[in-house]
Amino acid sequence: MAPTPPKSDWIWKDGEFVAWDECNVHLLAHAVQFGTSLFEGIRCYATPDGPAIFRLDAHMRRLVDSSTVYRMKPEWSAAQLAEAAVETVRKNGLTDCYVRPMVIRGFGAFGLDGRNSPIETYIGCWSWGTYLGAEALEKGVDACTSSWMRAHPNTNPVAAKAAGHYLNAQLMRMEATINGYAEAIALSPTGLVSEGSGQNIFLVRDGVVTTPFLDGSSLAGITRDAVLKIADDLGYEVREAMVPRESLYAADELFFTGTATEVTPIRSVDRIEVGAGRAGPVTLAIQKRFFEWVNGEIEDSRGWRTVV
Ligand SMILES: Cc1ncc(COP(=O)(O)O)c(C=O)c1O
């Protein structure tokens, strides 16, 4: 199991900073009882211009979109939340870190209709290394298709990043790691490839870069979006398509994308080697350009970096 990351000093709570150890919610908060918590995962990287948060505006926009779906609008706009995230990283004196904004329903309502519970907004951050281990970015990981599947689109609205949806993802991830895999690949209710337990997935075959289309069973990842643009910049043909499970086994290359996962090659699926069984050239070219973007090694022509 991954070690617990180190604490930082301060958590932003609705316009104020609260000490990490004193930032508590009530046991019977709606979020604890029913999973009524919306969140984001964002990374800040050390760059030559100082710490820079990658795609901060897109993440805060998605958080506000999630809050619209769940009737949980915070009192803060996406722009105010972005500013608060910058302040939180600065106040904690961190250079590269993971940033976790959360909009939750606190203590109040006891039934399922949580609208009598106050909406509380928090932003925490902490130092966090690679999600799938230091070697994963270079050598790739072993993945399995999960025996669990994603929910039907009109059950959990997964475009909203709500904590409750992640019980399904936890089942996948635990099953995978207990069985000796680094990650799980989720199938949609139709049996097509959806995404990883907490990341999107890409296939490469004959130089064409494909990712499953957004069918309501997967998250519209912000890294996914960045990688689609990066692959296009690099001159690859890019497709969003229906991906049957067997395409995974026949791919030349596979890789995961996500804020935590970054761009991580997949070297096998269900113990079948992908391509040559190691990170492939297209994956590595995309990964290289991704890290140039996040680490500030190329000009920020798309406005993806917010310097702290
Ligand atoms: C289920 C799921 N899919 C995909 C992703 C990747 O999204 P992003 O690139 O926005 O981090 C995440 C990460 O938040 C996720 O939890």
Side-chain angles (χ1 to χ4, degrees):
M1 269 185 289
T4 309
K7 295 179 194 176
S8 57
D9 296 330
W10 301 101
I11 292 179
W12 184 91
K13 183 192 176 205
D14 285 313
E16 292 173 0
F17 284 104
V18 181
W20 176 287
D21 286 326
E22 284 152 33
C23 196
N24 303 314
V25 292
H26 195 278
L27 172 71
L28 294 175
H30 207 263
V32 182
Q33 291 197 65
F34 300 116
T36 329
S37 164
L38 311 172
F39 69 103
E40 274 301 320
I42 313 174
R43 269 193 198 266
C44 178
Y45 290 87
T47 76
D49 299 324
I53 304 178
F54 189 62
R55 306 213 58 186
L56 177 60
D57 297 343
H59 281 282
M60 291 310 189
R61 185 175 179 203
R62 189 169 67 187
L63 182 62
V64 171
D65 288 347
S66 300
S67 76
T68 306
V69 174
Y70 276 99
R71 304 173 201 269
M72 283 173 65
K73 280 265 187 181
E75 61 182 288
W76 311 98
S77 67
Q80 287 171 316
L81 292 170
E83 184 50 39
V86 167
E87 277 176 36
T88 307
V89 173
R90 203 180 282 147
K91 173 107 176 158
N92 281 292
L94 294 171
T95 45
D96 52 331
C97 61
Y98 193 76
V99 183
R100 169 76 82 224
M102 298 172 70
V103 177
I104 71 163
R105 281 206 185 273
F107 175 77
F110 279 81
L112 286 177
D113 182 349
R115 286 173 299 155
N116 279 337
S117 288
I119 292 168
E120 298 166 10
T121 307
Y122 299 83
I123 304 175
C125 63
W126 61 86
S127 292
W128 208 21
T130 52
Y131 182 62
L132 294 174
E135 277 187 14
L137 291 175
E138 195 190 327
K139 298 201 170 149
V141 294
D142 300 310
C144 60
T145 44
S146 185
S147 70
W148 299 98
M149 68 179 182
R150 285 288 193 242
H152 187 278
N154 205 31
T155 55
N156 294 333
V158 290
K161 204 166 155 53
H165 304 167
Y166 282 76
L167 290 171
N168 170 263
Q170 289 180 47
L171 290 171
M172 292 180 175
R173 177 67 194 246
M174 286 190 289
E175 178 191 56
T177 50
I178 286 165
N179 288 335
Y181 299 95
E183 255 309 340
I185 298 168
L187 301 181
S188 72
T190 58
L192 297 171
V193 176
S194 175
E195 59 177 347
S197 72
Q199 52 281 103
N200 295 110
I201 190 166
F202 282 74
L203 300 80
V204 182
R205 187 168 159 111
D206 296 334
V208 178
V209 177
T210 303
T211 191
F213 76 116
L214 296 174
D215 62 351
S217 77
S218 58
L219 187 71
I222 291 162
T223 319
R224 174 186 184 276
D225 174 73
V227 163
L228 284 169
K229 294 186 168 88
I230 287 170
D232 184 59
D233 289 349
L234 292 174
Y236 297 112
E237 186 181 333
V238 173
R239 290 187 197 150
E240 294 175 77
M242 293 200 294
V243 177
R245 173 177 176 170
E246 58 272 27
S247 311
L248 299 174
Y249 308 126
D252 298 331
E253 302 177 32
L254 290 180
F255 60 94
F256 286 126
T257 66
T259 298
T261 307
E262 299 169 307
V263 176
T264 298
I266 302 171
R267 63 185 177 195
S268 74
V269 178
D270 299 332
R271 305 277 180 236
I272 299 175
E273 276 194 355
V274 177
R278 56 177 177 266
V282 178
T283 305
L284 291 176
I286 292 171
Q287 185 195 63
K288 180 170 179 288
R289 180 61 65 86
F290 172 79
F291 281 114
E292 287 168 355
W293 270 104
V294 298
N295 291 326
E297 288 159 11
I298 50 173
E299 192 208 334
D300 189 13
S301 55
R302 292 196 165 97
W304 281 351
R305 296 191 297 264
T306 302
V307 175
V308 170

